[in-house]
Amino acid sequence: MTLGVMVLPLILMSQTLEKENEIELNKEEAYSFYNLGYSSGEFFSQVYDQLPGSNTGCGSTVSEEFKNNYWNMGVGYGKVKYQDNGIFTYGFNGSFGQYNETNIASNLKNERFLFAFNPYVKYDTEWVGFGAGLFLGNNYWSDTFNDESLNSNITT
């Protein structure tokens, strides 16, 4: 039974392979594509910090909770060119959005405008692919509150 479950997908997939000359006839020489996306969300996080003067690792710690929410929109453009021995693709992606992190206890808030630009190029052959890209922007998820704000709600 187990062997049958393992072999059945191979038999079914072997029936769906296209012949090489059919692939050549149906493929375009080049095409362009566009991307558009949106993401948003909210989550809670908790950070543990060791209190000053406790350097053993087993000392007192303080916990802080944060409410995080974000939205981000992205756009992109690319071009695919079929060549004799592979597929050449190049393009760029861009994104922008907003990230907010609020300390629940102190109500301190970090707000960041997010942006990014990402050009890339890649070349794929049947067995190996190569690519390179560049990221420019400030898409990071958090900023650290300063020590005064971190220790302002600690009671001893």
Side-chain angles (χ1 to χ4, degrees), residues 22-57:
E22 290 177 9
I23 294 172
E24 293 297 323
L25 293 175
N26 292 332
K27 134 175 106 168
E28 297 179 27
E29 292 297 318
Y31 64 89
S32 298
F33 61 92
Y34 300 92
N35 299 323
L36 180 64
Y38 177 80
S39 174
S40 66
E42 179 179 283
F43 62 95
F44 291 87
S45 61
Q46 194 168 24
V47 175
Y48 294 94
D49 286 320
Q50 192 170 351
L51 289 173
S54 177
N55 58 4
T56 64

Side-chain angles (χ1 to χ4, degrees), residues 3 9 16 18 26 29 32 34 38 40 43-44 46 48 68 73 77 82 85 106 112 123 134-136 141:
L3 182 60
T16 59
E18 296 184 42
N26 292 332
E29 292 297 318
S32 298
Y34 300 92
Y38 177 80
S40 66
F43 62 95
F44 291 87
Q46 194 168 24
Y48 294 94
N68 305 268
M73 177 170 270
Y77 171 78
Y82 290 95
N85 295 327
S106 67
R112 296 285 183 219
Y123 185 77
L134 178 66
F135 176 84
L136 304 168
W141 70 273

